[in-house]
Amino acid sequence: GILKQLYTLQAAYRVQKDTYFISNAAASASSPISFVTLGMGFEVMVTARYTYTLSSTDNGASNFTATATSGVLDEDITADIWTIDQTGVLQVTSDDASN
């Protein structure tokens, strides 16, 4: 859901600015910074269970990775970590359910 939304917003941002939006700040429910105020039409709701970050290996010139990282969802300490990149590929890099 939300990572696909970030992918779509990144595609639109790139059409307008010829670069992807990259921020050093993370957006989360506990940290109310939003990508809206940072130049992108995305805001994390207060009920969010994940923290979202945008990164790039070339400062947004040709690539980005949006990452969603959960807090601890159950009794173990493993977080869920999902990513999507400029190609639209959604991947789970750490799955709390598998532990």
Side-chain angles (χ1 to χ4, degrees):
I2 292 176
L3 285 177
K4 283 288 192 180
Q5 180 183 0
L6 278 171
Y7 166 78
T8 301
L9 290 168
Q10 282 284 52
Y13 190 90
R14 177 147 186 178
V15 167
Q16 293 177 3
K17 309 268 185 177
D18 200 32
T19 186
Y20 291 111
F21 179 82
I22 303 301
S23 171
N24 292 326
S28 70
S30 61
S31 177
I33 190 166
S34 72
F35 295 134
V36 170
T37 59
L38 297 173
M40 186 174 207
F42 174 77
E43 187 169 5
V44 176
M45 304 309 290
V46 295
T47 56
R49 294 170 57 180
Y50 287 79
T51 297
Y52 299 90
T53 57
L54 293 169
S55 60
S56 174
T57 60
D58 64 1
N59 203 30
S62 67
N63 67 70
F64 77 91
T65 301
T67 304
T69 306
S70 74
V72 176
L73 300 175
D74 53 27
E75 62 277 349
D76 66 39
I77 60 169
T78 304
D80 273 344
I81 302 173
W82 292 81
T83 62
I84 195 166
D85 64 14
Q86 72 281 350
T87 65
V89 175
L90 183 65
Q91 297 182 16
V92 60
T93 59
S94 176
D95 188 356
D96 181 50
S98 68
N99 292 307

